[in-house]
Amino acid sequence: MLALTELDGMYHLDPAHSSIAFVARHAGIAKVRGTFESFHGWALIDGAQPEHSALLVSVKVSSINSRDANRDGHLRSPDFFDVARFPAITFVGTDFRITGENLVEVDGDLTVRDVTRPVRVSFEYEGGAKDPFGNERIGFTGSTTISRADFGLTWNAVLETGGVLVSDAVKLEFEVSAIKQADAPH
């Protein structure tokens, strides 16, 4: 297995073997989980000089799936993501630091509803492998927590117990499998 510092080249995100998920508290007592089913992205990785790396991920917001059609419809509405006006969420990596043998931090710009805020995502490098089709793959697991209010997602309902229906804090979780592009220049 290649060490994190040995990775080099252009990698495309494999949506069939990756996930972008979210977790938010509902009524202060339960966690609601969901995913975005449609996304694409790439990373230009220079493990020896991580500051030369680049990353872009784009998510089709209408692909949101929280396992409840009514909730998904509300999340697509102007109360939340307003997918008719803002069809994509993007993350552009701007700074990359290796912080441990298998750990990397990526600072970047997250854009939701045309509001861009800096976000730091911590990733763990899960290793690399050659699949049965000859593709060189690498894997990362990562997460970060954001404030939805920072992105204009402020809809809520006050509960008679004094809390709110939807937490402001939303945890984003990433399971990434990426395929090295053999003919991409570096």
Side-chain angles (χ1 to χ4, degrees), residues 99-174:
T99 60
E101 183 178 345
N102 291 321
L103 303 174
V104 62
E105 286 184 344
V106 178
D107 290 338
D109 294 325
L110 179 64
T111 302
V112 180
R113 290 179 56 119
D114 276 355
V115 176
T116 302
R117 298 280 187 257
V119 172
R120 176 172 290 161
V121 182
S122 298
F123 286 100
E124 182 173 358
Y125 173 53
E126 301 292 348
K130 188 170 276 200
D131 69 22
F133 308 103
N135 297 308
E136 290 183 42
R137 292 179 173 274
I138 56 173
F140 288 88
T141 301
S143 67
T144 191
T145 299
I146 63 169
S147 161
R148 55 187 191 92
D150 286 351
F151 297 93
L153 299 169
T154 58
W155 182 92
N156 226 326
V158 176
L159 303 173
E160 58 183 61
T161 57
V164 291
L165 188 61
V166 183
S167 65
D168 179 56
V170 177
K171 184 175 183 181
L172 303 176
E173 300 174 332
F174 311 97

Side-chain angles (χ1 to χ4, degrees), residues 10-15 20 39-44 54-59 91 176-179 181:
M10 176 65 80
Y11 292 82
H12 284 204
L13 186 63
D14 177 6
I20 298 176
F39 51 87
H40 65 275
W42 54 264
L44 181 60
L55 170 71
L56 172 68
V57 177
S58 181
V59 175
F91 180 74
V176 177
S177 178
I179 300 171
Q181 303 304 292

Side-chain angles (χ1 to χ4, degrees), residues 56-122:
L56 172 68
V57 177
S58 181
V59 175
K60 185 176 179 181
V61 184
S62 64
S63 73
I64 196 165
N65 179 359
S66 68
R67 298 181 327 270
D68 182 278
N70 289 332
R71 180 174 44 231
D72 293 345
H74 192 202
L75 289 170
R76 291 182 188 107
S77 80
D79 283 346
F80 284 95
F81 289 109
D82 196 358
V83 299
R85 291 181 52 213
F86 309 106
I89 293 172
T90 59
F91 180 74
V92 177
T94 58
D95 189 34
F96 304 82
R97 287 172 313 289
I98 295 174
T99 60
E101 183 178 345
N102 291 321
L103 303 174
V104 62
E105 286 184 344
V106 178
D107 290 338
D109 294 325
L110 179 64
T111 302
V112 180
R113 290 179 56 119
D114 276 355
V115 176
T116 302
R117 298 280 187 257
V119 172
R120 176 172 290 161
V121 182
S122 298

Side-chain angles (χ1 to χ4, degrees), residues 4 7-11 43-47 49 52-54 138 140 186:
L4 182 58
L7 296 180
D8 185 53
M10 176 65 80
Y11 292 82
L44 181 60
I45 300 175
D46 185 338
Q49 296 179 311
H52 295 154
S53 296
I138 56 173
F140 288 88
H186 183 75

